[in-house]
Amino acid sequence: MPEASTLPALSPNPVRGRLNSGFFALMAGYIEHRLAGHKRRIFAGTGGVVAEIGAGNGPNLRYLAPGTTVHAIEPNPYFHRRLERTAAARGVDLTVHPVPGEAIDLEDASVDAVVCTWVLCTVHDPAQVLHEIHRILRPGGRFAFIEHVAAPHGTVRHAQRLVRRPWRWAFEGCRTDRDTAAAIHAAGFASVDITEFRFHSTFVPVRTQIAGTAVR
């Protein structure tokens, strides 16, 4: 079993927690329209026992076959009700784990796949979350991800710096300027395949994104 967490006790902000759940429910159709092609590619064949880090309201469950066992690592309780409804509608066998990604309460080598989208930007310690993902994956298991990342120097990078503090406050710690690709490459996976793409949106700070897979 993983060691006990040394992180502080979870206390999601009751206002921002509810607002984020509502915001992502409202924007789900728009976000899926923009990301569906990338999700179909990286989630293809994902099944068996799956852990999703930061499952939110459950938008990724549509890409999993009915009957898939999903362990949702989701510390924000204000997402749980919508997440459970989505899982029931999709025929997914869901267990919600209200723990941080830095301290996942699953056994070593216990899942076939791990997925996450727009999560590593928000966590306290991305390297520790990636360590946990690597730990719970079985040998040969696959990690599939989409993340917004630091843009090259230019207009988008300037916008990321300009909104850094209010953006982090509004979106529960989200940082738009992390070099997540480098962190994934450094996490000890046997192979990593990453594609950078532009998220065509009025939300300028998140236009630079990556999608990919890593195999343990």
Side-chain angles (χ1 to χ4, degrees):
M1 287 291 288
E3 295 179 359
S5 174
T6 58
L7 296 173
L10 294 173
S11 54
N13 184 284
V15 175
R16 292 196 300 273
R18 289 184 173 93
L19 286 175
N20 275 284
S21 178
F23 173 82
F24 283 105
L26 181 65
M27 296 295 292
Y30 173 78
I31 293 170
E32 288 306 305
H33 174 70
R34 298 294 185 184
L35 295 181
H38 298 284
K39 288 187 177 184
R40 283 193 294 267
R41 176 174 62 84
I42 65 171
F43 294 156
T46 300
V49 180
V50 177
E52 179 167 11
I53 316 301
N57 293 321
N60 293 331
L61 299 183
R62 72 183 66 192
Y63 299 96
L64 307 178
T68 299
T69 296
V70 176
H71 293 278
I73 312 304
E74 180 48 73
N76 186 339
Y78 304 107
F79 283 116
H80 292 175
R81 183 176 298 178
R82 287 189 176 99
L83 175 58
E84 290 165 351
R85 287 202 301 261
T86 303
R90 297 289 176 185
V92 168
D93 181 12
L94 178 75
T95 300
V96 177
H97 300 252
V99 298
E102 291 88 348
I104 300 172
D105 56 347
L106 294 173
E107 299 280 355
D108 295 357
S110 60
V111 304
D112 300 302
V114 176
V115 301
C116 74
T117 56
W118 292 7
V119 172
L120 295 176
C121 56
T122 65
V123 298
H124 175 72
D125 186 344
Q128 177 60 21
V129 174
L130 289 164
H131 170 80
E132 286 291 273
I133 289 169
H134 190 277
R135 179 185 66 78
I136 66 174
L137 274 171
R138 64 169 177 78
R142 198 164 63 107
F143 170 41
F145 53 87
I146 296 176
E147 297 289 340
H148 60 78
V149 296
H153 295 291
T155 303
V156 176
R157 187 59 175 268
H158 178 69
Q160 289 175 338
R161 289 171 176 159
L162 189 66
V163 303
R164 181 181 299 167
R165 288 188 177 181
W167 192 279
R168 288 186 69 183
W169 183 89
F171 292 104
E172 302 279 33
C174 176
R175 294 184 57 166
T176 60
D177 56 354
R178 279 182 167 164
D179 188 354
T180 301
I184 293 170
H185 277 293
F189 291 99
S191 64
V192 177
D193 180 16
I194 295 178
T195 300
E196 184 175 305
F197 67 96
R198 186 177 179 84
F199 182 71
H200 296 285
S201 168
T202 55
F203 294 98
V204 175
V206 298
R207 282 185 180 172
T208 304
Q209 306 222 5
I210 58 173
T213 58
V215 177
R216 180 173 189 264

